[in-house]
Amino acid sequence: MSSLGRALSRSRLSQPDAFQVQKSLTQPPDDEVSVLVLYTGGTIGMVEDKTGALVPAPPGYLIQYLRTIPFLHDEEYTPPPPTDCCVLPLSKEKKRVVYRIKEYNPLLDSSNMSPADWEKIAKDIETNYEQYTGFVVLHGTDTMAYTSSALSFMCENLGKPVIVTGSQLPIYQLRTDGRDNLLVALLLAGQFNIPEVGLYFYQKLYRGNRVTKVDCASFNAFTSPNLPPLADVEIDIKINKDIIWWPSKTEKFSVDTQLNCNVGVLRLFPGITDETVENFLQCPIMAGVILETFGSGNAPDRQSLMDIISQASARGVIMINCTQCLRGSVTSAYATGQALAKAGVIAGFDMTPEAALSKLAYVLAKNLSLEEKKQMMQCSLRGELTDDSKKPKLCDSRFIQVIAKSLSINCDEELAAVRDALTPTLVCVAAKNGDIEALDALKEMGSDLITADYDGRTPLHVAACEGDVKVVEYLLSKGASVYARDCFGETPLHNAVHCRHKDVVKLLRKTGAHFSPSEMVDAKTKLHSLVASGDSEGLEIWQLAGVDQKPTDVNGEFIKFTACPRS
Ligand code: ASN
């Protein structure tokens, strides 16, 4: 019998022991999630000035307005949130999104934004990361694709949603896309496991580094020409899990805001002279250039032009070949394209110019050799370019072939439906049995290894209960989220603590797992009871889990703990 077969014949996962945290009055209700809105400016919050031009409304105007819109703020909800918070009515997913707005000063038209503003947004996400379930960035549409691209690179090992949005008409107007865009962005940031910088606009959530603004007169302002949306927001919100860029490292979230801004974009045109190209590339500070070429990456291949490009490459200028076409990729199909590659220009594949430019600024600032930087530019760091060779094909899986044959299925949609119905249980059983081979087989047939079972328990919850460090490590490398909560409100970190698996607790913490601020308050009570029962092992494990408060007595004095055996 195969390991997968053996896995199937064994029992369900064991539940954690009785070492459960009591939910206390200090905790918010289980259905409450919190979102931080970073409000940077843009049309969404603009009003007309005396001349009729749109300018950002005065400070505090947006939040005052939102509090008057019942579907953006439920006044009846108790307990009342702090004054700078709003709360959405209960959603279809039975969640309450409580959101706080951090308003920037000054609020900007996004045409006035610069890399310093990207840095501020990234740092604000970093500072508030552990306090919130997700983040929304309210931003003008004109340079939104640059900001969402830059943020996607600056945010390293992101495990929570960061949703950038805005609108084409001010939120205060009768007809506006602002109210809907904000509402859905809040729901996406608070309720879904999308560990990416996304851009939400007009019923679609796109990967932030795949978008470009294509229309300044339509609500449907953005497109993602080379990647389908991460989510389609219709009657139901459909998350396209197969497309999401799942994390693959056991590392904590951090931001790297260093950018080398000595970069530029040169768009080729028929008749462009050698002098124009030479002057552009010879600017002494130029460290990297995006060359916008024709079709699938072609340029005039006259020798004089190729010499100028070769010389720039020899001086260490990194040049990336991006197509002027909206859709498609740079290839080596034509001699005119191959000549550029020979002169030292690197293929940018299907990257948008916005993504290529911000990636180049990010990569150039890294402390790496020129060769390493060139390598980085050619591989996908955050899903910004397509690498077809890595995508498993559902119909290639032997397991799926057998099922398809016995059920007489031959279309892709039905195969996917069978896979989606079977795999949550299979991956949980394989995780319980420590069967990495079976997990690999399931992965190969396109299962995402993050899907929860009927109790909302993911394979990572199961492996954390079992204390299987190898499986936990494997799952984390395949995109499992340390923030997933089962229907009892528990994360894998809770499970590992309850089941007292020290090494798993350490690994989850290293990957960024943390208790929420309210759970931290409760943990202090927990520490008291551990001290009272002389449970040194329990105390150690809670401290490993990040509970740093030292237990205090009623007078606020630290209790000196003397270990005594558990009864
Ligand atoms: N000019 C505005 C901005 O980018 C356009 C908008 O938000 N729709 O800030």
Side-chain angles (χ1 to χ4, degrees), residues 26-95:
T26 53
Q27 273 198 302
D30 284 341
D31 61 9
E32 222 178 67
V33 289
S34 56
V35 172
L36 179 64
V37 179
L38 301 172
Y39 171 35
T40 69
T43 298
I44 192 161
M46 287 189 183
V47 287
E48 283 181 15
D49 70 5
K50 282 189 220 115
T51 68
L54 284 169
V55 292
Y61 199 85
L62 180 70
I63 181 148
Q64 264 180 35
Y65 173 77
L66 294 177
R67 293 179 140 263
T68 67
I69 309 289
F71 65 84
L72 287 168
H73 178 57
D74 180 357
E75 257 187 358
E76 309 275 284
Y77 184 64
T78 51
T83 46
D84 61 347
C85 280
C86 292
V87 57
L88 296 184
L90 196 66
S91 71
K92 198 177 151 202
E93 288 77 14
K94 300 276 174 290
K95 293 253 156 88

Side-chain angles (χ1 to χ4, degrees), residues 246-267:
W246 301 107
S248 58
K249 288 191 191 150
T250 51
E251 278 170 35
K252 266 190 186 160
F253 169 73
S254 60
V255 302
D256 180 358
T257 55
Q258 304 260 60
L259 296 178
N260 180 340
C261 293
N262 298 323
V263 290
V265 182
L266 179 62
R267 186 179 171 95

Side-chain angles (χ1 to χ4, degrees), residues 41-46 54 108-113 139-144 166-169 177 201 213 216 221:
T43 298
I44 192 161
M46 287 189 183
L54 284 169
L108 293 175
D109 185 302
S110 74
S111 304
N112 283 324
M113 289 180 84
H139 195 288
T141 58
D142 289 345
T143 66
M144 193 184 276
S167 66
Q168 293 284 65
L169 285 176
D177 50 338
F201 225 85
K213 184 171 176 180
C216 55

Side-chain angles (χ1 to χ4, degrees), residues 405-464:
K405 206 168 156 207
S406 61
L407 296 177
S408 308
I409 286 173
N410 48 23
C411 84
D412 266 5
E413 285 77 34
E414 282 177 351
L415 280 180
V418 170
R419 178 198 63 192
D420 294 347
L422 285 177
T423 53
T425 315
L426 293 179
V427 288
C428 283
V429 175
K432 176 166 171 54
N433 292 331
D435 192 341
I436 292 181
E437 221 179 288
L439 287 168
D440 255 340
L442 288 158
K443 175 89 189 135
E444 180 256 336
M445 67 189 237
S447 315
D448 54 30
L449 305 189
I450 53 149
T451 315
D453 72 3
Y454 42 82
D455 280 336
R457 294 176 60 74
T458 63
L460 189 61
H461 282 93
V462 177

Side-chain angles (χ1 to χ4, degrees), residues 340-470:
L340 274 180
K342 250 198 229 138
V345 181
I346 297 167
F349 302 99
D350 58 353
M351 274 192 288
T352 61
E354 291 93 330
L357 188 76
S358 54
K359 181 178 178 181
L360 191 53
Y362 167 81
V363 167
L364 281 168
K366 295 258 176 212
N367 190 13
L368 297 169
S369 70
L370 188 65
E371 248 346 279
E372 287 168 321
K373 289 175 186 173
K374 286 184 179 175
Q375 279 297 324
M376 247 177 131
M377 285 307 298
Q378 287 175 92
C379 62
S380 176
L381 303 180
R382 310 278 188 272
E384 71 281 4
L385 58 84
T386 307
D387 187 351
D388 276 334
S389 60
K390 296 224 170 101
K391 207 169 177 335
K393 289 207 183 79
L394 190 53
C395 56
D396 291 344
S397 155
R398 285 238 329 268
F399 182 74
I400 277 286
Q401 277 169 11
V402 172
I403 294 180
K405 206 168 156 207
S406 61
L407 296 177
S408 308
I409 286 173
N410 48 23
C411 84
D412 266 5
E413 285 77 34
E414 282 177 351
L415 280 180
V418 170
R419 178 198 63 192
D420 294 347
L422 285 177
T423 53
T425 315
L426 293 179
V427 288
C428 283
V429 175
K432 176 166 171 54
N433 292 331
D435 192 341
I436 292 181
E437 221 179 288
L439 287 168
D440 255 340
L442 288 158
K443 175 89 189 135
E444 180 256 336
M445 67 189 237
S447 315
D448 54 30
L449 305 189
I450 53 149
T451 315
D453 72 3
Y454 42 82
D455 280 336
R457 294 176 60 74
T458 63
L460 189 61
H461 282 93
V462 177
C465 274
E466 293 300 313
D468 194 328
V469 182
K470 277 213 176 87

Side-chain angles (χ1 to χ4, degrees), residues 18-20 500 523-542 551 559-567:
F19 199 71
Q20 297 280 341
R500 304 195 168 210
K524 196 166 178 181
T525 321
K526 183 79 221 169
L527 291 195
H528 274 290
S529 75
L530 291 169
V531 170
S533 62
D535 185 351
S536 58
E537 187 199 27
L539 193 64
E540 185 193 354
I541 208 134
W542 279 86
I559 296 172
K560 210 164 149 251
F561 181 76
T562 9
C564 54
R566 289 176 84 194
S567 54

